[in-house]
Amino acid sequence: MTEQHITQTQANNEEQAGSITLHDIIRMVVANWYWFVLSAVFCLCAAYYYLASTPKIYNRTATIMVKDSRKGGDVDLTAFSDLAGFQNRRNVDNEVFILQSRRLMTDVVKRLNLTINYSISERLRRRDLYGQAPIDVKFINDNDKQSLSMEITPLEGDKIRLTEFNDKFVTKHESRSVITAAYGDTIPTPVGQVVVNKTLYMAPDYLDVPIRVSKRSLSQTTNAYRSAVKSDVANKQASVVTVTMNNSVPRRAEDVINTLISAYNDDAIEDKRRVSVATAKFIKARLDVIGRELGDVDRNIEDIKKDNRMVDISSEAARSVSESSRYKTEGLSLENQISVAEYIRAYLNDPKNAGELIPAVAAAGTNTAIAKQIDDYNSAILRREKLLENSSDRSPVIQDLDNLLAAVRRSILSSLDSNISTLEIQRDAMRKEETQANNRISTMPSQEKVILGITRQQKIKEELFLYLLNKQEENQLNYAVAESNSRSIDEAYGSNIPVSPRPMMILAIALIVGLAIPFGLLYLIGMLDTTIRGRKDIEDNINAPFLGDIPFYEGDSKSGIVVRETGRDALSEAFRILRSNMTFMGVSAGTDIRTILFTSSDPHAGKTFVATNLAMTLAMAGKRVLLVDLDLRRHALSTQLGHGKSKTGITGYLAGTITDPNSMIENTGFHKNLDVIYAGIQPPNPTEMLLSEKLDKLIAQMREQYDFVFIDSTPAMSVADAIITDRLADLCIYIVREGVLDRRQLPDIERLYREKKLHNMCIVLNSTRARRHGYGYGYGYGYGYGYGYGYGDDYQEVSYRKRIKHFFRSLGRKIKK
């Protein structure tokens, strides 16, 4: 077996030893079985109470097909496609919105009288008596905005007792009133006058059973049923809409859905008939006017023929007259179109017609684009009237629609002006041609010209009169055959199995939750702390060499120097061990370690503290040590030593204002062998400064003058400064602070080591605390810094299973207390 395989096997064994096994979980459950049983019983009881007190909900669904003109669902009479009233285009999405409108649901609530509800108490829940109520209550002073409730108890001898009156205007004394009356009487109550009658469902079983009668306001009831009824397009490729509703009473759900569809169909038919009525009024008015004009023309012809005794003209004259007649006919046709367009323009400009529908026949005399605009304008007028029923003129939707109507109106007027200009140009051209033809027949008798002109006018009036008669019949047929925009495929139906609540699923969930709650609480206690809690966390996740650990320092030192030359305290001993281990790092690597870089993951790991005290330890050992503050952003080392705002520092040297490196070196004042170079003024471009070759020359020169050069850099995970200055270091000491660094960041540190982004990287654990009996998700090491070097007799490592056992036993004792 190769060395790699052995190492992998050992790692797997260590991982298995450090994980929680099924045996540990079972022992934990057995040790705390009473909490699992109590939690499961409590959750099951809560689930049973929920099932017993919650009404069963049933689902009902209906299916309709909307006649969407885009998807082949439009079955309007194509023979009347030239009539503007038949040019409506329906969209299934718009129809779904109409189905969900408040206006239609209000109509449904009124039809089914859903504002009044009857119920009786059965065990832990109330049973709704919709459609089977033994009594019928009529409110004399009915108010759609009033919400109230009371209890009516049928008594023997056709008597009833009214109690428990509840209304926002009823006092506490009035609510306790007890009223006895007979069926059919007008009963004055604190909530108003009511009349109570029996129904066919009255049975002896209801005697002395209080029946709760609740009346909600029309607005509340409408909102409740709007939210309960859902309308969705079943398939985007089709125009089929499904209407669903969940309710505790299946019959009520069926009635609401079916009534909603019926109200929707009636509303669509009414919309179509309103357009037909407006069109009929316009046609009748135009027929009266054209009929009078046609009678006048007929009388003129009769008078001219009697007075002038007209005769036939020659064939040449007939040909000339025929050409003149054709030009005149076309000109008059253009005149008629201009007249219709001017009529529409006058109709639109008349303030009395603002907000009124544009007659459909008027659009038929215009071009297709104007007819389409008129159709859109009429549709918008109808939409505004529908929306106005449920809102006011100040509603943003109504105002937006008014702006749209104004814009469409202006667009129609603009189109009419353009159309009239075009028709006038064509008319002038026809008149020019007609004049030339008339010049050719100038020799004809003037009487013949008059009779021909009158005849032509007669023909045009006759054609227009016949056209309007035809459209009148078509409009009457349209009114008679007006149909809904939808066709019912399936009325409301559904299963008798409730969709909620589901007993087996709820009981199973309650059992699982009852078992999961104590397990989760017990496990969560050991999982809340995600920070580094000891050396083992680092050794299990990072392969970089572990240089040593520094105990937590509870004292207060403004300078940050806590080690003492003759001290035997834990911190001094820890830094001496760190000094020895650093020496061994150079021996094992076969290199002379002179320049040491200090970095961390976060700015509060204590890298400046470790750097200064380790430097002091080496200085006390007779080594000349130079501290260099390369944290050009925060100046942590300089600030700690009281020179955070010093103008003489390394930034001045890198910027070229300082030429002599030795002029920057100052003694710290703590030891003669410990010198420091402060950061200096904070530069605007610290990263670019650290890339300067001057820095390499400076460090090389300091290596000649000192035994060790300590570089205090920035956190490696925050900025790139530490990675840049790593080129200067022989050894990189990565500071990890216990209780601060999250364990989830350890893979990032391992990645730095594996990718060799930091030269000769090793780990120092800072602020460690003594843990003799770690348990739960952790473990512990005891520290014995006292006499001697290294770890003392307090060092213990408890096996994982013992720690788990100890943890859960301690937790059980705490819960019992």
Side-chain angles (χ1 to χ4, degrees), residues 658-674:
I658 299 176
T659 58
D660 184 11
N662 294 321
S663 63
M664 299 184 299
I665 301 175
E666 298 183 20
N667 188 265
T668 59
F670 301 108
H671 199 281
K672 62 180 181 179
N673 292 333
L674 183 58

Side-chain angles (χ1 to χ4, degrees), residues 504-521:
M504 296 305 298
M505 184 181 70
I506 292 177
L507 291 174
I509 292 175
L511 179 60
I512 294 173
V513 171
L515 297 176
I517 289 175
F519 181 84
L521 290 176

Side-chain angles (χ1 to χ4, degrees), residues 480-756:
V481 301
E483 60 177 351
S484 172
N485 294 338
S486 67
R487 181 168 65 88
S488 179
I489 299 176
D490 289 316
E491 293 186 348
Y493 68 95
S495 173
N496 292 326
I497 301 176
V499 295
S500 68
R502 298 180 180 179
M504 296 305 298
M505 184 181 70
I506 292 177
L507 291 174
I509 292 175
L511 179 60
I512 294 173
V513 171
L515 297 176
I517 289 175
F519 181 84
L521 290 176
L522 294 173
Y523 187 75
L524 184 63
I525 294 175
M527 290 289 293
L528 288 177
D529 188 7
T530 61
T531 59
I532 299 295
R533 290 174 292 177
R535 175 175 177 175
K536 192 172 185 299
D537 277 337
I538 297 176
E539 292 178 342
D540 287 347
N541 294 277
I542 301 177
N543 292 320
F546 188 81
L547 195 62
D549 39 24
I550 307 300
F552 177 75
Y553 177 66
E554 298 181 357
D556 184 16
S557 176
K558 296 182 180 180
S559 63
I561 303 295
V562 297
V563 295
R564 298 294 179 264
E565 188 168 1
T566 59
R568 287 294 181 263
D569 56 284
L571 273 170
S572 299
E573 293 295 342
F575 278 105
R576 293 189 186 103
I577 294 173
L578 197 63
R579 178 185 63 190
S580 302
N581 292 342
M582 187 179 69
T583 304
F584 291 140
M585 282 288 295
V587 174
S588 61
T591 59
D592 184 17
I593 295 179
R594 302 286 298 280
T595 305
I596 298 96
L597 174 71
F598 291 85
T599 185
S600 61
S601 296
D602 52 74
H604 304 291
K607 53 184 177 54
T608 303
F609 173 80
V610 175
T612 54
N613 284 277
L614 182 57
M616 186 65 177
T617 304
L618 289 169
M620 289 186 298
K623 304 294 184 181
R624 295 197 64 205
V625 184
L626 175 66
L627 288 171
V628 181
D629 188 1
L630 282 187
D631 187 353
L632 304 184
R633 301 173 188 269
R634 296 180 64 243
H635 302 175
L637 176 61
S638 303
T639 302
Q640 180 175 300
L641 297 178
H643 293 76
K645 298 182 179 180
S646 175
K647 297 182 179 180
T648 303
I650 196 169
T651 55
Y653 174 77
L654 297 178
T657 58
I658 299 176
T659 58
D660 184 11
N662 294 321
S663 63
M664 299 184 299
I665 301 175
E666 298 183 20
N667 188 265
T668 59
F670 301 108
H671 199 281
K672 62 180 181 179
N673 292 333
L674 183 58
D675 295 336
V676 62
I677 296 179
Y678 298 114
I681 300 175
Q682 184 173 357
N685 54 345
T687 303
E688 287 73 11
M689 275 196 168
L690 294 176
L691 292 171
S692 174
E693 293 183 359
K694 290 184 178 182
L695 181 60
D696 297 72
K697 294 179 181 180
L698 174 65
I699 298 301
Q701 182 178 345
M702 295 301 105
R703 285 169 62 95
E704 298 296 330
Q705 298 179 209
Y706 291 88
D707 297 319
F708 292 96
V709 178
F710 281 15
I711 300 176
D712 185 19
S713 186
T714 58
M717 296 293 184
S718 303
V719 290
D721 297 7
I723 305 298
I724 293 173
T725 55
D726 180 65
R727 72 183 189 275
L728 309 171
D730 302 321
L731 176 68
C732 176
I733 297 180
Y734 201 97
I735 309 300
V736 175
R737 186 167 185 174
E738 181 178 316
V740 175
L741 183 69
D742 198 306
R743 289 196 301 274
R744 291 169 292 184
Q745 291 183 285
L746 291 178
D748 298 330
I749 301 176
E750 170 63 16
R751 192 177 302 109
L752 287 176
Y753 173 74
R754 190 172 59 252
E755 296 176 358
K756 299 186 182 301

Side-chain angles (χ1 to χ4, degrees), residues 749-766:
I749 301 176
E750 170 63 16
R751 192 177 302 109
L752 287 176
Y753 173 74
R754 190 172 59 252
E755 296 176 358
K756 299 186 182 301
K757 291 187 177 180
L758 296 175
H759 183 68
N760 203 9
M761 175 180 167
C762 60
I763 306 296
V764 170
L765 181 62
N766 187 27

Side-chain angles (χ1 to χ4, degrees), residues 141-155:
N141 303 320
D142 194 7
N143 184 358
D144 289 340
K145 297 181 179 181
Q146 185 179 15
S147 296
L148 56 90
S149 66
M150 59 183 170
E151 285 191 356
I152 300 177
T153 305
L155 304 175

